[in-house]
């Protein structure tokens, strides 16, 4: 239970730090961000508050997704109807939080009054953004057991493509859900990436069964897989038995910005569904249980640092808890009580024997 609490809260902390009321999330230079952080007294000198350090839409969407997952649903279709309801209700409230445009567009295309097809949205050529990935860690927390893998795959894809109906987008939600489940299973972090790639065939099979947009999906499917395979080879951990990742000799803020841009599809690290989880994963591999190093890599870089920070913070919480976290970072965090309540409910739902 304590790790669930840590995950939900630190996801918000990572988001608020990387976002910095849109200032750092729109800054192209990690060097500049770390310089400004030093002037604030470093992580120990920061007290996150609603006014100066609000969370972004990433945490708000993670909250409402978790609320749907702990609701009293009796089938997965019923769960999707609940997700449609909470997404439609929240869309107007997140506009002021520098929202991923695909999130807004997707939410407005949902049909809460359509019982059978309410969560079906059109294929979106621009739906490859990070927003599906940042709301789905709770899916992996709800369906973390290996025997619940089918549920994890289906729910993460459906929740992802409600707002990001593009493989690069909704495979990002599958990725972060899987990583959360691997963290709870205590699977070694170095294995996560290659284990995730093994599940992509199951994701494709599920999409074929739903008979929606497969022609468009096939044109765009392999980008996500190819980028991740390339990343794992770059780190030297693409094959079984390769369990020692290799990093650039001088992996400082300037070098990280350069590397993250190379992984991206448009020169903005973390903007898409493939590289937001990738940067968070890379930060976990590099930092281990060192919270400061994790923040330097995942929250304080040029690019979509709120998105990568929210994913990295949540996964760190599942792995290591709150022991090394300065109190100023979470005691006044926006929505902290809501996040803690949802953590308890997710833990209870995840470990109940009955239900879908």
């Amino acid at each position: 239970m304590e790790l669930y609490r840590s995950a939900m809260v630190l996801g918000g902390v990572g988001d608020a730090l990387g976002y910095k009321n849109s200032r750092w999330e729109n800054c192209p230079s990690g060097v500049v961000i770390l310089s400004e952080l030093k002037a604030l007294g470093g992580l120990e000198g920061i007290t996150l508050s609603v006014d100066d350090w609000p969370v972004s839409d990433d945490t708000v969407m993670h909250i409402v997704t978790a609320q749907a997952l702990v609701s009293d649903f009796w089938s997965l279709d019923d769960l999707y109807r609940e997700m449609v309801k909470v997404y439609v209700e929240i869309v107007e409230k997140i506009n002021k939080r520098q929202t991923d445009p695909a999130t807004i567009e997707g939410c407005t295309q949902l049909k809460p009054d359509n019982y059978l097809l309410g969560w079906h949205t059109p294929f979106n050529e621009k739906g490859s953004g990070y927003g599906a990935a940042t709301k789905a860690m709770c899916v992996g927390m709800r369906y973390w057991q290996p025997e619940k893998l089918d549920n994890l795959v289906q729910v993460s894809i459906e929740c992802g493509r409600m707002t990001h109906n593009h493989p690069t987008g909704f495979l990002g939600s599958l990725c972060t859900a899987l990583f959360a489940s691997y963290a709870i299973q205590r699977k070694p972090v170095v294995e996560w990436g290659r284990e995730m790639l093994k599940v992509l065939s199951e994701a494709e099979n599920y999409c074929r069964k739903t008979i929606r947009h497969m022609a468009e999906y096939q044109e765009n499917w392999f980008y996500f897989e190819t980028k991740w395979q390339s990343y794992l080879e770059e780190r030297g951990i693409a094959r079984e038995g390769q369990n020692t990742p290799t990093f650039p000799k001088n992996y400082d803020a300037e070098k990280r910005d350069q590397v993250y841009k190379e992984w991206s599809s448009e020169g903005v690290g973390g903007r898409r569904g493939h590289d937001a989880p990738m940067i968070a994963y890379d930060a976990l591999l590099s930092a281990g249980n060192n919270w400061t190093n994790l923040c330097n890599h995942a929250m304080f870089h040029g690019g979509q640092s709120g998105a990568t920070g929210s994913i990295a913070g949540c996964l760190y919480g599942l792995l290591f808890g709150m022991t090394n976290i300065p109190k100023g970072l979470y005691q006044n965090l926006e929505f902290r009580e809501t996040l803690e309540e949802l953590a308890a409910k997710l833990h209870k739902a995840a470990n109940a024997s009955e239900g879908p």
Side-chain angles (χ1 to χ4, degrees):
M1 167 53 212
E2 190 56 36
L3 293 177
Y4 271 57
R5 173 180 170 273
S6 300
M8 293 301 287
V9 171
L10 290 182
V13 168
D15 177 24
L17 285 172
Y19 179 54
K20 200 185 186 300
N21 213 355
S22 83
R23 176 179 173 83
W24 284 351
E25 191 167 71
N26 290 313
C27 178
S29 170
V31 175
V32 170
I33 291 171
L34 286 171
S35 175
E36 292 185 7
L37 175 68
K38 186 177 180 180
L40 293 170
L43 286 170
E44 296 283 352
I46 292 174
T47 298
L48 298 188
S49 64
V50 176
D51 292 334
D52 296 328
W53 298 84
V55 299
S56 78
D57 66 297
D58 299 328
T59 297
V60 176
M61 292 298 288
H62 196 217
I63 284 173
V64 296
T65 302
Q67 287 172 339
L69 286 163
V70 300
S71 65
D72 188 21
F73 59 91
W74 51 270
S75 70
L76 292 186
D77 281 3
D78 200 30
L79 168 60
Y80 304 149
R81 293 182 191 105
E82 185 63 26
M83 286 183 176
V84 168
K85 177 186 169 188
V86 296
Y87 289 167
V88 169
E89 288 175 352
I90 203 67
V91 66
E92 290 186 8
K93 299 177 182 178
I94 58 176
N95 256 326
K96 63 182 181 180
R97 296 178 189 258
Q98 297 285 322
T99 309
D100 178 2
T103 296
I104 298 292
E105 183 176 356
C107 287
T108 58
Q109 292 171 334
L110 295 168
K111 301 173 283 291
D113 297 326
N114 188 323
Y115 188 77
L116 294 177
L117 304 173
W119 57 94
H120 292 206
T121 56
F123 176 77
N124 185 358
E125 198 67 56
K126 298 179 181 178
S128 60
Y130 60 87
T134 53
K135 64 177 175 174
M137 291 79 74
C138 57
V139 177
M141 295 165 69
R142 176 67 173 80
Y143 299 112
W144 66 268
Q145 299 94 333
E147 62 269 23
K148 294 281 185 70
L149 178 62
D150 284 350
N151 282 21
L152 183 153
V153 169
Q154 294 175 35
V155 174
S156 64
I157 288 175
E158 291 297 355
C159 116
R161 63 183 178 177
M162 283 182 204
T163 53
H164 294 71
N165 199 355
H166 185 290
T168 307
F170 66 72
L171 290 179
S173 57
L174 171 67
C175 178
T176 58
L178 281 170
F179 285 180
S181 74
Y182 295 160
I184 298 167
Q185 292 172 31
R186 316 320 281 173
K187 197 181 289 284
V189 177
V190 73
E191 298 177 6
W192 291 4
R194 55 181 182 253
E195 289 297 312
M196 180 268 295
L197 287 181
K198 294 177 185 176
V199 181
L200 292 185
S201 60
E202 296 184 38
E204 186 173 13
N205 289 338
Y206 173 71
C207 288
R208 287 186 186 282
K209 287 179 186 175
T210 62
I211 325 174
R212 282 153 57 195
H213 316 296
M214 277 314 296
E216 294 96 334
Y217 287 175
Q218 285 179 322
E219 288 181 24
N220 296 278
W221 190 271
F222 292 106
Y223 180 80
F224 183 96
E225 184 174 3
T226 300
K227 293 294 277 191
W228 265 93
Q229 187 65 42
S230 175
Y231 164 76
L232 295 175
E233 289 172 359
E234 185 178 332
R235 287 287 169 266
I237 54 173
R239 284 170 281 284
E240 301 292 336
Q242 293 184 321
N243 295 324
T244 306
T246 57
F247 297 92
K249 286 186 177 179
N250 182 25
Y251 205 27
D252 60 9
E254 187 174 359
K255 180 64 174 178
R256 290 194 296 272
D257 281 350
Q258 176 192 333
V259 170
Y260 295 173
K261 284 180 181 179
E262 290 170 356
W263 295 342
S264 76
S265 58
E266 55 181 59
V268 181
R271 178 66 65 84
R272 298 297 173 213
H274 72 284
D275 61 331
M278 192 179 288
I279 290 170
Y281 181 61
D282 195 66
L284 283 169
L285 280 177
S286 177
N289 66 352
N290 188 311
W291 171 254
T292 299
N293 283 352
L294 183 88
C295 290
N296 288 343
H297 285 242
M299 290 70 152
F300 307 135
H301 65 84
Q304 208 69 41
S305 46
T308 57
S310 67
I311 299 168
C314 184
L315 296 174
Y316 180 97
L318 285 173
L319 289 169
F320 305 114
M322 304 277 280
T323 306
N324 299 320
I325 314 301
K327 283 188 177 180
L329 296 184
Y330 61 85
Q331 58 189 1
N332 297 320
L333 176 71
E334 186 178 17
F335 302 126
R336 176 187 161 190
E337 290 184 2
T338 300
L339 289 162
E340 291 178 340
E341 289 168 5
L342 284 169
K345 291 177 180 179
L346 275 169
H347 185 266
K348 181 179 179 180
N351 294 289
S353 56
E354 73 283 348

